[in-house]
Structure formats: C-alpha cells, structure tokens
Amino acid sequence: MTAVPRVRMAPGDRREQLLTLGVTLLATRSLDELSIDLLAEEAGISRGLLYHYFGNKHDFHEAVMRRAADDLIAQTAPPTAGEPLERLLASVAAYVDYVEANYEGYLSLVKGAAGGNQQMRQIYDEARGALTDRVFREDAQGSVVPDTRAARLMVRAWSAMAEDLVLAWVRDPEGVTREELLAALAASLPALVEILH
Amino acid sequence: MTAVPRVRMAPGDRREQLLTLGVTLLATRSLDELSIDLLAEEAGISRGLLYHYFGNKHDFHEAVMRRAADDLIAQTAPPTAGEPLERLLASVAAYVDYVEANYEGYLSLVKGAAGGNQQMRQIYDEARGALTDRVFREDAQGSVVPDTRAARLMVRAWSAMAEDLVLAWVRDPEGVTREELLAALAASLPALVEILH
C-alpha cells in the first residue's frame, strides 16, 4: 500500500484521494476493521486532518461505502453496443469481478444493509435499485425483460439470487467454473422473467 | 390475545406454552418489540417467573426464534405422497402462508441473521439448511434436482430468490396473484437447476 504523497492539493482533490484509498482498504477488510487510524497511517496524514475531511468515523464509513457502491455501479455498466444478452453477460462478469476484488467490503455492505443500519440500507438499496433499473433502461424494447410490476419483482429477486450465488462461489468455487457461473447468471434472468412477468 | 390460564402445570409444559405465546406475539412484531414485559402481561404471570424460565431477554429471544424457525420447517414439510413438483408446490405454498402469517417475526430473523447477530445467524442457517437439504432428501432420485455441488449452490441461491420474492410480494402483492407467485416459485427451482447443475 503506497502512502498518499505529501503534496499541496485542493481540499476536494485530497478528499477524493482519501476516499479512493478508503475503498482500496475496504476491499479486503470489513467496515468495522476500517478505522480512521488505519486510513491516517496509510495516507501518511494526521487523524486530525481526516476528521477535518470526514467529520467522524460514521460519516467516513458512509462516504467510503457510498463511493464503493458508485464504483460497483460504474464497473458493472454494460457495454453500449451488442445484443442484449451479450451486454447482460458483460455486466454480470463485471459484477463477479467486483465481488471477487472487493469481497470483504461488499459483504459489509450486504450485512450492514440487511442488519438494519440505515445508512448502509440506503446505499445498498440505491445501488441495487440502480442495477435492477438498468436492466429495464438498457432493454427499453423489452426484448429480454418486459417492464411490468411482476417482471420488476422478479428482476429484484434475481439480483438476490445472483448475490447469494456469487458470494457463495467466491467463498468456495469448487465444482463450478467461472464460465459456468457467468453463463448461469446471464441465462437465469430471462428464464426467471419468462416464469413470472 | 388470551392470557395463559393460571393452572398448575409442569415446568416443561409451562415453558412450552410460553414459547408458543411468544411465537404468536412475534408474528406481528419485530424481535425488538417482543419484550419480557409484553410476554408477562399477555401470559398473566410475573416477569420474575419468566426470567426463571428463560434466564434473560437474550435467551428468551433466542428460544422464541428457534421455536419460530422449527415451526417454519414443520409447516413447510411437503406431503409424503405425490409427484415431486406437486410436493414442491405444496411446500412453497406453505412457505408463502408462513411468511404472510408471521411477516414481522420472519423479517426480524432475516435481518438479525444478515446483520451479524450470531444466534440469529445460526438459527437462520439451520432453518435454511433444513429447507434446502430437504429438496435433495425429498427428491432422492434426482428427478427434479441432481445432487451436485453446483445444484446445491443453485438451490441455496433459489431460496434467496424465493425469500426476496415472497417478502416483496407480501409487502405489496400488486400485479401478481397468489397462484402466479406459487407457480413461479415452484417452476423456478427446476429451471435454475437446469441452468447450473
């Protein structure tokens, strides 16, 4: 882990840099393990300066997690060209990459949200809403998924399935290749929507 | 709500009766709302006697939730006769009934487990394990689901999907009839396992 260079920066830039470092640290740590002390040490700056940027540990955690969720949404954006199913496959591949690269932090978000932490719940719901809304926005002609109340329920349930499957696979991939996993994630969406739409 | 009659009972019977009352109260309340005071009032007995049976609030909550999870497993047992898919349909219908009748308490279990409460996690995992293991036990010939590592991952992911779908539907059933929901729950299991097994 390289320290943030001690150069003169605009406050906004420095905050951005600290957030990026926070997200990097979170990838392999739970949120509980991501302390102000750790970030200060890794960034080579004082705790006092961190409190200046983030107010308190709670706000710091919220800002880092929000940035991590934004990264998830950005990294899983499907390519702009291609057939709907190919684009879906690219998007789920990026999701698997993200969960693999950020397992601990992602699990903290899932746990925090489900456990009733209001901030984590909001960040998680926004991210999940963005991911599922995107299915309908990206497929405006409804060639894979018609935009009905039933299909929206099912797309959300599919994303719960995908989350469970990917987290379990990253923990223990035995018996399932990456290609099988990706194919199953992409094929299951139209299959489930065909069953309830 | 009827009070537990003040009759002389064996301690084991009285504890059973109090657990049953606790589960009834939990159906329409979160675990946080289920206090020793409330149970004492509803049961018409002293708080002191409740502490005698359950030790402390924590143990009381654990005992009630464990009983609620046992009820879920018992109530969703498929009929012993019939075609595998018919039996699966009966089991998912019972699951929907259970979630409808016990929405608040069930949500507390899901949230507590996901949020990292160790006891709730253990109870939830045991219940979910029992439900998913049953799929394989009940279908020993593998006519619906072959017993492979991939299929076990997928059955677990299906149960996450089913949980999300049923909780969302109970909150707001608009656009999806009960029959459509049940048919989708039963049809989605073999469809998903066909995709990854």
Side-chain angles (χ1 to χ4, degrees):
Chain A
M1 207 62 65
T2 52
V4 178
R6 282 180 169 280
V7 293
R8 202 173 280 275
M9 296 178 75
D13 293 345
R14 171 53 61 100
R15 191 174 187 277
E16 283 298 297
Q17 202 177 27
L18 291 169
L19 273 179
T20 303
L21 178 59
V23 170
T24 304
L25 294 171
L26 184 65
T28 53
R29 281 170 186 80
S30 73
L31 200 57
D32 286 344
E33 292 165 339
L34 181 64
S35 64
I36 290 266
D37 278 347
L38 177 68
L39 187 70
E41 192 185 319
E42 292 288 339
I45 63 177
S46 72
R47 298 176 74 233
L49 193 55
L50 277 181
Y51 283 113
H52 168 74
Y53 284 113
F54 296 110
N56 56 46
K57 183 181 160 183
H58 197 74
D59 292 349
F60 164 56
H61 278 178
E62 187 179 344
V64 172
M65 196 55 100
R66 198 168 285 280
R67 170 59 54 88
D70 289 346
D71 288 351
L72 167 64
I73 295 168
Q75 288 175 32
T76 56
T80 49
E83 290 301 304
L85 271 180
E86 281 169 24
R87 296 162 70 217
L88 179 61
L89 191 64
S91 185
V92 298
Y95 174 70
V96 172
D97 288 344
Y98 181 90
V99 177
E100 277 191 309
N102 299 277
Y103 181 78
E104 290 300 333
Y106 184 69
L107 198 60
S108 284
L109 176 61
V110 171
K111 282 184 176 181
N117 178 310
Q118 289 288 353
Q119 270 77 25
M120 293 304 124
R121 180 84 242 166
Q122 200 185 346
I123 295 169
Y124 179 84
D125 282 347
E126 283 174 18
R128 195 158 167 195
L131 296 175
T132 54
D133 288 351
R134 194 160 63 190
V135 168
F136 295 96
R137 208 171 55 242
E138 293 286 335
D139 180 33
Q141 290 84 34
S143 64
V144 177
V145 181
D147 192 353
T148 63
R149 157 86 181 149
R152 284 197 174 254
L153 274 180
M154 197 44 123
V155 169
R156 227 192 124 84
W158 168 79
S159 78
M161 185 218 84
E163 181 181 285
D164 186 274
L165 190 59
V166 173
L167 284 171
W169 183 82
V170 170
R171 272 194 298 274
D172 178 8
E174 194 211 319
V176 180
T177 68
R178 182 185 191 78
E179 289 63 39
E180 287 168 343
L181 177 73
L182 297 182
L185 289 168
S188 56
L189 179 63
L192 288 173
V193 170
E194 181 62 29
I195 288 170
L196 183 70
H197 64 267
Chain B
M1 209 62 63
T2 51
V4 177
R6 282 179 170 281
V7 291
R8 203 173 280 275
M9 296 178 74
D13 293 346
R14 172 51 63 96
R15 191 173 188 276
E16 282 298 297
Q17 201 176 29
L18 292 169
L19 273 179
T20 302
L21 179 59
V23 170
T24 304
L25 295 171
L26 183 65
T28 54
R29 283 169 184 82
S30 73
L31 200 57
D32 286 345
E33 292 165 339
L34 181 64
S35 64
I36 290 267
D37 277 347
L38 177 69
L39 187 69
E41 193 184 319
E42 293 287 339
I45 63 177
S46 71
R47 298 176 74 235
L49 192 54
L50 277 182
Y51 283 113
H52 167 74
Y53 284 112
F54 295 110
N56 57 46
K57 183 180 160 183
H58 196 74
D59 292 348
F60 164 55
H61 278 178
E62 188 180 343
V64 172
M65 196 56 99
R66 197 168 285 279
R67 170 59 54 89
D70 288 346
D71 288 351
L72 167 63
I73 294 168
Q75 289 175 31
T76 56
T80 48
E83 290 301 304
L85 271 179
E86 281 168 25
R87 296 163 69 218
L88 179 61
L89 191 64
S91 185
V92 299
Y95 174 70
V96 173
D97 289 343
Y98 181 89
V99 177
E100 277 191 308
N102 298 277
Y103 181 77
E104 290 301 333
Y106 184 68
L107 198 60
S108 284
L109 176 61
V110 172
K111 283 185 176 180
N117 178 311
Q118 289 289 353
Q119 269 77 25
M120 294 304 124
R121 179 84 244 166
Q122 199 186 346
I123 294 169
Y124 179 85
D125 282 347
E126 283 174 18
R128 196 159 166 195
L131 297 174
T132 54
D133 287 351
R134 193 160 65 191
V135 168
F136 295 96
R137 208 171 55 242
E138 292 287 335
D139 180 33
Q141 290 84 34
S143 63
V144 176
V145 180
D147 193 354
T148 64
R149 157 88 182 148
R152 285 197 174 254
L153 274 180
M154 195 47 122
V155 168
R156 226 193 125 84
W158 168 79
S159 79
M161 186 218 84
E163 181 182 284
D164 185 275
L165 189 60
V166 173
L167 284 171
W169 183 81
V170 170
R171 272 193 300 273
D172 178 8
E174 195 211 318
V176 179
T177 67
R178 182 185 191 79
E179 288 64 36
E180 287 169 342
L181 177 73
L182 296 182
L185 289 168
S188 56
L189 179 63
L192 288 173
V193 170
E194 181 62 32
I195 287 170
L196 183 71
H197 63 267

